[in-house]
Amino acid sequence: MRRVHVSLVGLLAATIACQTTATTPTAERPEVFPDRPEREADAGRVTLKRLTNLEYDNTVASLLMTDLRPATAFPPDELAHGWDHMADAQTLSPLHLELYLQAAADLVETELASPVLPDQTWTFEAETDMEGTTGAAYGDFYNLWSNGSLTATQTVPHTGTYRLTASLGATQGGPDLARAALLIDGATAREVDVTGDRVYNEYTVEVELEAGTHFIGVAFLNDYYDPGVSDRNLLVDYVDLVGPIGVDGEPTPARERYYTCEETTDACAHQILDGFAEAAWRRPLDTEGRSWLHGLHARALEDGASWEEAVHAGAMGVLVSPRFLFRLELDSDPTSTESRPLDGYELASRLSYFLWRAAPDDTLLGLAADGTLGEDLVLREQVRRMMEDPRARTVVTEYAGQWLAIRAIDDVEPDYALFPEFDDALREAMRGEMEAFTADILLEDRSMLDLLTAEETYVNRRLADHYGVAPPRGDAFVKTTIEDYPRVGLFGKAGLLTALSYPKRTSPVKRGQWVMASLLCEEPPPAPAAVEGLDEEGTEGLTLRERMAKHREDPACATCHRVMDPIGFSMENYDATGAWRLADTDGHPIEAQGTWPGGPTFDNAAQLATALREDPRVAQCMAQTTFAYALGRPANIHDRTYLDEIRADFVASDHRFLALAEAIVLSEPFRTRRGESEEGQ
Amino acid sequence: MKTWNRRHVLRAAGASLLLPFLPSILPRSAWGQETEPPVRVLFWYIPNGIHMADWTPTRTGANYDLPYILQPLAAVQSQVSVLTGVDNMAGRYPRPGDHARGTGAFLTCNTPEYTGSASYSNAISIDQVIANQIGDATPFPSLQLGLSGGANSGQCDSGYPCAYQNSISWADAYTPLPKITGPRQAFDRMFGGTGVDDPVIAARRRQLKLSILDEVAEDASSLSNRMSASDRRKMDQYLTGVRAVERRLAGLGGAVCEPPDRPPTRLDVPAHSAVMNELMAVAFECDLTRVISYMFANGGSGRSHTWLPGASGNHHGFSHHQGLASNHAALRVIDRWEIEQFSSFLQLLDGRTDSDGNSLLDNSLIVLGSEIGDGDRHNHDNLPVLLAGGGRGAHRAGRHITFSGQKSLGDLFISMARAAGAELNTFGSDGIGPMTEIA
């Protein structure tokens, strides 16, 4: 382990942090580093990660080119520290396994299905389903008592070989056996002598049919009648049509990709499974993995599986294997606490699941194969390339989606009586604005500080109406600047403001706490149980500000609330659905000005945003937050030296996400791993 | 999209649920070779405590009075006891987060730890203690069901990981068991067959799945040799899961039970609740399982009861009532509705006859409880607790039973476990022996 003495310089800026209370020991608090002078740097380790539900769906989508989203049925991912992919919070239950097995079966049966079309059978009962030119139905058969035909029509979906079968009997008479024709579209496909007397036998002919509608049937060819002596008739029991026989349909894309040979041999089965496993497991197949896979295939054959079934069993095994469900990073010495560089494939997966939440693509795997992925220049180049890829959209939906509470918009339920205008169209519009706004900054490589102060935003007609500005033409979101009143940056976004409100009213505490936790990484300690949730329903007659003043009467509360509450008050001009207002629900005029103890004064949310833009803790917090997202574990005291370096690069780049992602990817915690001592350190 | 209301679903479900009760297709304990019907246990969690002023009966013993919130129990009162003075002190700790801790402790009677990182430390829950001992007798050793999956983003109570609030069933200290909340998903899991009609092919598919599981387990074991302790713990969860699915697959086949109609994917809360009640009743009736845990909502739930007059708004918010009459009024409405749903379920069990001629309710033990008592005080003593069903003699039902001094919920769980056929002497941090007062 590299041992580095770390100074506190970068963190002493945190002067406005609220003090912890006696009941909340500092050591128990996440994300806040105790003010101790020196700590050893340790690149640390990340616990084995299971694919999250999104990662599972994305991974099978690229692996099998499928539209199935099996993870929709999986238990939701466990949330911890505001993220859904923290390695230590992930668990695996029997229910998970059951659903993984089901998903594997569904995926394999759908996407690796044999292209041989299943044949179909259509049966026509002569006495009910067919039409005769002569004769009559009797009980369960049809009697063609003079020369004529009995036919039916059937549409066949595919061109190919079909088998026409007629079950025929006869009452014999005269010198010859009864003679019948099997008919296709009026023409004779085969003539037969019907043997036996009042006994049914099947007569068959194979025919080539085009896809489409066809007449099928039988004809009686040699009627004989000697009154009082003998009477030759053709008796028809049923006619059936089976097919197409042995016709190949379009193979699925996955079938085409992995079924690289056609012989139904073990060698071909192995070839298919090896290729599939390598793609699914995101690294070359090692000897152990290969022999395991071939062993499973052999066992399936022993269980009586057909060639197809045995390959499918192997493919299912690949998909429920820990090598697929987990992002394995194996150690030759699991108890060693010496960091080791990740191998190329481990690094490729860390990169792709960080920026795409999806499996590494061929480019990353190629660089892993030739051993160059670990080079600084190559890593930087790959981060840049990956950010250009459409898959980087997850930086908006997952990273910003969770960090900036965009996903929380899905869960808000403003009170219908108070906010009847809130509906799902507005909910969608709120989320759409947040996503377009953050995409514009994160994916277009603008300063992330613009999240606070950018004047341009995106509105569609529904949101323009909510904001009280002129509606755009058309239904799409358009970029616009609202000039009539202050509405800039995150603090002007209806989605965030609604997510940080109660159903019936705003919550300055929630809003203030969110800013502290998510933008300053200074999570206030939770309120004592007795006052938690105090502000849901108000005390009659007092303004919200007066009610909140109670927070600061108690010294234990005051340390936090005097920082939190002014932040929240600055956003009071936006109601519980983010609409602009000048008075609160009780008619009291909004007073949005505030000040921090020893800090800046601000008159409204826009000025607060400008003040925060100058605050070095914001960049520090962005670095720390993104680091946790990239690694799947919260940052801790041992990461400080790395975070200092990451932050320095980030600041030097004028706060670009791309530079931040590069700095994290190049940092030791991202590129190395180590084992764990027996004591669990 | 077609919208389903409660009436639709009940009508749909009713068609097959109201089949004549034929003993020949309902021996129900057909999985094992028992001649006597089993005792089923169900653990029903409700969030945010109860407005106790309208809950606690004034009279004790039999024929107790039904305060406003308990009035929906009238139809089954003789089958329900109200337990007053029961504690689960494991939920208490000098740190905020009573909803997370209390919910995590609800069935473990153990204080869930605040780990500071993102991992867990709780303990095995009572339903799993029971399932581990009697679960082999049924296709599902236990079922975890719920009405709400929880938020898809954000943080949970006071920095605790969300699993403490979203799972009451724990396989061990590190493994919260997720619950199924979707009505269709619950149905499919309970009644979904192999999708293959041909018994020969179905049997071969099952055998192939067993072989696959057996092989992946072997590979996982060998992989874990190259893993450190924390990673191995996850691999152990994987292996436990594999073995559980193997047991289930091996036990499949021979299930004869008429399922209700397949419900839709999504329903509004009242219709959803009705469907889950039906499914749980059928699960017991068909002996699919004998152990169920049911989360009527997640810990500290903020569900807005928009369909109840006067109860629209955040439930957790109302529960911090500050002594205000307006909040009490909303809580009365919400709490009473919760008991209505519970009572509906009990009536479903009461209307079904078990193989010994008694009702399924007679032969079950159903407990209802919450993570705290009062929403403002966040207290873990004097919790709202209902115990329903006779448990084949384990519970003399229909009484208001009061306890003075400390009486642990863990003691009740020991009694329930024993009635269900599990051996248990102590449980959690303060369960020291069976709760003799219920017998």
Side-chain angles (χ1 to χ4, degrees), chain B residues 59-96:
Chain B
R59 289 198 303 276
T60 58
N63 298 316
Y64 57 91
D65 54 307
L66 290 174
Y68 182 79
I69 294 169
L70 295 182
Q71 279 168 13
L73 291 173
V76 283
Q77 186 178 353
S78 65
Q79 291 275 26
V80 184
S81 291
V82 181
L83 274 54
T84 294
V86 176
D87 314 332
N88 188 2
M89 299 316 286
R92 195 170 70 171
Y93 189 76
R95 185 193 158 79

Side-chain angles (χ1 to χ4, degrees), chain A residues 354-485:
Chain A
F354 165 32
L355 293 173
W356 292 345
R357 307 239 71 94
D361 64 357
D362 289 344
T363 307
L364 287 172
L365 294 173
L367 293 166
D370 68 26
T372 53
L373 186 57
E375 293 169 15
D376 287 10
L377 276 175
V378 176
L379 279 175
R380 285 185 191 279
E381 194 178 53
Q382 286 309 305
V383 172
R384 284 194 290 271
R385 177 185 72 89
M386 293 173 74
M387 286 300 294
E388 298 284 323
D389 188 281
R391 281 169 282 196
R393 181 78 192 162
T394 60
V395 170
V396 174
T397 57
E398 306 307 305
Y399 162 74
Q402 296 178 81
W403 172 39
L404 301 178
I406 303 175
R407 281 209 216 161
I409 299 170
D410 292 346
D411 297 325
V412 300
E413 286 300 339
D415 187 78
Y416 180 73
L418 294 173
F419 303 100
E421 74 284 0
F422 184 87
D423 57 12
D424 279 343
L426 182 54
R427 184 196 304 275
E428 290 303 314
M430 287 175 172
R431 197 180 42 209
E433 180 195 24
M434 287 283 280
E435 290 186 351
F437 174 73
T438 51
D440 201 16
I441 289 167
L442 299 173
L443 302 183
E444 300 302 320
D445 210 25
R446 289 170 51 189
S447 167
M448 285 172 69
L449 297 182
D450 288 353
L451 288 169
L452 296 166
T453 53
E455 296 188 350
E456 321 81 65
T457 189
Y458 290 82
V459 297
N460 63 2
R461 296 173 74 91
R462 185 73 185 83
L463 197 62
D465 183 46
H466 190 60
Y467 285 171
V469 298
R473 258 176 284 191
D475 294 328
F477 278 92
V478 297
K479 198 168 187 168
T480 187
T481 302
I482 294 168
E483 287 165 349
D484 302 348
Y485 61 93

Side-chain angles (χ1 to χ4, degrees), chain B residues 180-418:
Chain B
I180 294 189
T181 57
R184 170 164 290 183
Q185 257 193 295
F187 176 92
D188 284 352
R189 177 144 193 263
M190 288 164 61
F191 300 105
T194 56
V196 177
D197 292 335
D198 185 328
V200 177
I201 296 175
R204 188 163 69 238
R205 294 259 169 98
R206 185 161 64 235
Q207 180 53 48
L208 286 173
K209 282 184 179 173
L210 284 167
S211 294
I212 291 166
L213 291 171
D214 200 34
E215 293 288 329
V216 292
E218 205 161 300
D219 192 34
S221 302
S222 85
L223 286 171
S224 65
N225 291 332
R226 283 186 278 160
M227 292 180 185
S228 53
S230 306
D231 295 358
R232 270 205 308 274
R233 188 186 293 161
K234 283 202 167 178
M235 215 42 107
D236 288 346
Q237 291 178 336
Y238 176 92
L239 285 166
T240 305
V242 169
R243 281 191 292 269
V245 180
E246 280 183 315
R247 271 199 307 276
R248 264 213 64 202
L249 279 174
L252 275 182
V256 180
C257 187
E258 187 72 25
D261 284 353
R262 192 167 178 237
T265 321
R266 288 186 68 138
L267 290 165
D268 62 30
V269 176
H272 190 177
S273 165
V275 167
M276 296 312 260
N277 277 351
E278 292 279 0
L279 290 177
M280 291 192 292
V282 176
F284 278 169
E285 183 180 24
C286 300
D287 210 23
L288 293 175
T289 188
R290 295 169 189 175
V291 183
I292 296 177
S293 74
Y294 182 51
M295 294 191 81
F296 195 71
N298 291 327
S301 166
R303 176 182 289 158
S304 178
H305 296 72
T306 50
W307 60 95
L308 296 175
S312 173
N314 188 304
H315 183 188
H316 175 234
F318 288 130
S319 80
H320 283 273
H321 52 79
Q322 306 168 64
L324 294 177
S326 59
N327 289 335
H328 290 165
L331 290 175
R332 277 161 50 94
V333 172
I334 294 168
D335 294 351
R336 183 179 162 118
W337 183 76
E338 290 176 342
I339 298 308
E340 255 176 49
Q341 301 304 302
F342 182 64
S343 178
S344 299
F345 173 67
L346 299 182
Q347 291 174 50
L348 288 177
L349 290 189
D350 203 29
R352 286 164 158 81
T353 311
D354 209 347
S355 58
D356 63 353
N358 290 321
S359 81
L360 270 183
L361 185 54
D362 286 327
N363 293 349
S364 301
L365 281 175
I366 321 286
V367 69
L368 173 142
S370 188
E371 80 273 32
I372 50 172
D374 178 84
D376 235 11
R377 291 173 49 221
H378 281 196
N379 58 306
H380 300 277
D381 61 346
N382 193 23
L383 296 167
V385 179
L386 298 179
L387 181 65
R392 306 199 72 229
H395 171 216
R396 200 152 47 80
R399 292 177 296 148
H400 177 206
I401 307 168
T402 57
F403 301 93
S404 51
Q406 288 214 327
K407 195 52 152 180
S408 162
L409 190 60
D411 290 353
L412 174 59
F413 291 163
I414 293 169
S415 291
M416 291 176 71
R418 290 187 179 184

